[in-house]
Amino acid sequence: MQRAEAARQALLTSHPESEVAVLKLDVGSIRSVLHAAQEVKLRYNRLDYLYLNAGIMPNPQLDIKAFFKGLFSSNVISMFATGEGILTQKDKTTSDGLQEVFVTNLFGHYLLVRELEPLLCQPEKTSQVIWTSSSNAHRSAFSLEDLQHLRGTEPYSSSKYASDLLSVALNRKHNQQGMYSSVICPGLVMTNLTYGILPSFFWTLIMPIMWLIRVFTNTFTLTPYNGAEALFWLFMQKPESLDALVKYHSLTSGLGNNYTQPHKMDIDEDMSEALYKKLQDLEDEVRQRLN
Ligand SMILES: NC(=O)C1=CN([C@@H]2O[C@H](COP(=O)(O)OP(=O)(O)OC[C@H]3O[C@@H](n4cnc5c(N)ncnc54)[C@H](OP(=O)(O)O)[C@@H]3O)[C@@H](O)[C@H]2O)C=CC1
Ligand SMILES: CC(C)=CCC[C@@H](C)[C@H]1CC[C@H]2C3=C(CC[C@]12C)[C@@]1(C)CCC(=O)C[C@@H]1CC3
């Protein structure tokens, strides 16, 4: 909570007229999500925006052989833009008996949205739910038969693809009640997540190479400020004007200019419906376990 308090103070300094409140929430813990949602419901009657940004990529392993193979293939740009085929992770089980990546990147957020539906779905005003997804969200990593990705080595990719599917399902279910859901991709950003893949000094060393790569793929946004472009852009849009089937990408040009671009997602609407059903079943199961 110390860092949250420091962020609150910084916001109050830059925007003295604003009100900023902080609340502790571990999306990886069912009890914590339910407790925090209860607190939000006590404090507020309505929510206009819900940004679902928290996410993890634990124990990432970079496949150096696949990286060099990709470097000399025709897929090199796509490899740098999405990291497809060169990254795996090692997941673990939480005390709730769920896979950590699945619960942190997807299920905890799902449960939070479910709990906050009464505040998000209000007849007189629209609301927006905004997911931080990824260009690493690949259909090939996801399986409805293995939602938590117990049997694979790409739980991160699977959880991000599932968030894309879930956003589509949320729109189908709640647009009529005024709630709209969108997904964004921040591009490759230097954060604790990327410092888990390669040490920060290494990223600093190869920074000139990354500026060069940015000329060929504008997905190398590199700073959190640039990566947040699509989050900010969505905040400015009328939710009714957004396309539920696209992902909004933060991009930075070779000259350092930021912009947001929509890209159609590789989504099957039946699959999104089936995922929603499975999440509801799991929700019933975890709620029963808690009672
Ligand atoms: N960096 C990149 O290149 C990309 C990142 N993303 C996505 O962007 C989002 C932000 O990640 P990024 O800033 O890069 O990574 P960081 O590791 O720097 O930040 C992760 C954020 O998620 C929060 N978080 C992690 N676990 C939990 C939890 N169990 N409960 C509550 N909050 C949690 C962290 O909070 P705290 O600090 O308090 O632990 C932190 O604010 C993630 O969803 C990530 O998947 C997508 C594409 C590319
Ligand atoms: C020369 C150079 C830039 C080397 C770095 C190679 C890789 C470590 C990166 C190339 C593409 C990157 C990437 C990600 C992580 C680091 C790379 C694999 C992400 C998977 C990080 C998390 C995401 O959500 C998407 C990113 C896509 C690109």
Side-chain angles (χ1 to χ4, degrees), residues 67 79-82 86-87 134-135 156 188 193 197-198 206:
F67 172 70
M79 178 186 82
F80 278 123
T82 69
I86 57 175
L87 264 188
S134 165
S135 57
Y156 180 83
L188 176 65
L193 186 147
I197 302 171
L198 294 168
I206 63 166

Side-chain angles (χ1 to χ4, degrees), residues 30 34 96 98 107 111 279-291:
I30 306 299
L34 298 179
D96 292 312
L98 300 167
F107 191 65
L111 211 52
L279 291 174
Q280 276 182 317
D281 292 346
L282 186 59
E283 177 188 344
D284 293 344
E285 203 182 305
V286 296
R287 282 188 195 276
Q288 262 171 23
R289 242 186 280 154
L290 284 183
N291 289 332

